[in-house]
């Protein structure tokens, strides 16, 4: 390894010296040949050091991502963060996971509310926007805040920082979560008719599953 670097250094010195002494006449064929050899040596060294990727490399799946995306009876999400302070990275990764779960819920609930607004069996009392905000603020936000961490992975980076992945899940299972949303809709008759509430719940559940599939790249 040292020998290769020495050769490259000598070659570079010779070329630079030659260039300096023959600015008027340009570089001759011998100098061009030496430059080409130097470039080949540099390319060989890059290959040895692993700069160039092999033609095929199997990636190892991140455990928190796998856990968040697997089929189970509770809603999950994962988050990640990088910091030079491990505690900060842990807190930020957990917050990112909660934000991801909240976004998934928000998209599904807003979609269900819009579907209800278009297909309600009776005159609607509240707009789709009002229904979505009520469900999130009166029930879902608290469930997200009370999620628990079920997996954490920590990676030490070459610059001294750490990257953290966190997987969280709701404490209630999916069926209990649906019942909680239904009870919220029934309160103050946000959606007064039971059939419409059931339609809302089914649409929300479909939206959550679709969101999860898109997140998995399906």
């Amino acid at each position: 390894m040292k020998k290769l670097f020495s050769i490259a250094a000598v070659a570079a010195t010779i070329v630079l010296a030659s260039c300096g002494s023959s600015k008027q006449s340009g570089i001759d064929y011998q100098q061009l040949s030496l430059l080409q050899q130097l470039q080949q040596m540099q390319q060989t060294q890059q290959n040895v050091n692993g700069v160039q990727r092999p033609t095929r490399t199997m990636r190892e799946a991140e455990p928190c991502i796998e856990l968040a995306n697997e089929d189970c009876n509770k809603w999950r999400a994962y988050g990640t963060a990088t910091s030079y302070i491990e505690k900060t990275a842990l807190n930020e990764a957990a917050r990112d996971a909660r934000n991801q779960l909240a976004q998934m819920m928000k998209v599904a609930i807003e979609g269900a509310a819009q579907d209800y607004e278009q297909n309600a069996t009776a005159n609607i009392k509240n707009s789709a926007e009002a229904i979505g905000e009520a469900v999130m603020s009166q029930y879902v936000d608290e469930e997200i805040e009370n999620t628990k961490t079920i997996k954490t992975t920590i990676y030490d980076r070459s610059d001294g920082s750490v990257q953290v992945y966190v997987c969280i899940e709701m404490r209630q299972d999916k069926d209990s979560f649906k019942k909680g949303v239904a009870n919220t809709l029934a309160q103050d008759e946000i959606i007064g008719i039971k059939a419409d509430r059931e339609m809302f719940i089914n649409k929300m559940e479909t939206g959550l599953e679709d969101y999860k599939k898109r997140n998995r790249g399906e």
Side-chain angles (χ1 to χ4, degrees), residues 60-79 97 101 104 148-153 155 165-170 174 209 212-213 215-216 218:
E60 186 173 346
E62 159 51 45
C64 286
I65 297 177
E66 280 194 315
L67 199 59
N69 289 335
E70 74 178 14
D71 292 326
C72 62
N73 69 339
K74 293 183 179 181
W75 294 113
R76 295 174 177 173
Y78 75 91
L101 185 58
M104 180 173 71
K148 63 179 180 179
T149 298
I150 59 173
K151 181 71 177 179
T152 301
T153 51
Y155 300 89
Y165 283 82
V166 167
C167 178
I168 62 171
E169 73 174 12
M170 287 189 167
K174 292 179 179 179
E209 293 291 352
K212 190 172 179 179
K213 288 178 181 178
N215 197 47
R216 288 193 302 233
E218 296 181 6

Side-chain angles (χ1 to χ4, degrees), residues 47-108:
N47 291 339
V48 171
N49 289 339
V51 174
Q52 287 191 345
R53 292 183 178 182
T55 56
R56 190 174 74 164
T57 303
M58 185 181 74
R59 292 185 178 183
E60 186 173 346
E62 159 51 45
C64 286
I65 297 177
E66 280 194 315
L67 199 59
N69 289 335
E70 74 178 14
D71 292 326
C72 62
N73 69 339
K74 293 183 179 181
W75 294 113
R76 295 174 177 173
Y78 75 91
T80 183
T82 301
S83 175
Y84 288 96
I85 303 174
E86 185 172 316
K87 184 177 180 180
T88 299
L90 286 165
N91 291 337
E92 290 298 319
R95 184 168 68 175
D96 183 45
R98 289 192 297 271
N99 288 340
Q100 294 298 327
L101 185 58
Q103 179 63 19
M104 180 173 71
M105 292 292 165
K106 186 173 184 291
V107 169

Side-chain angles (χ1 to χ4, degrees), residues 16-17 19-20 23 31 33-34 60 99 112 139 152 173 179 195 207:
L16 291 173
C19 290
K23 290 182 179 178
Q31 293 168 357
S33 176
L34 191 57
E60 186 173 346
N99 288 340
Y139 180 68
T152 301
D173 60 31
K179 291 177 182 177

Side-chain angles (χ1 to χ4, degrees), residues 111-126:
Q114 290 170 5
D115 182 77
Y116 161 74
E117 192 174 54
Q118 295 172 2
N119 301 296
T121 58
N123 292 332
I124 63 173
K125 179 181 177 181
N126 299 293

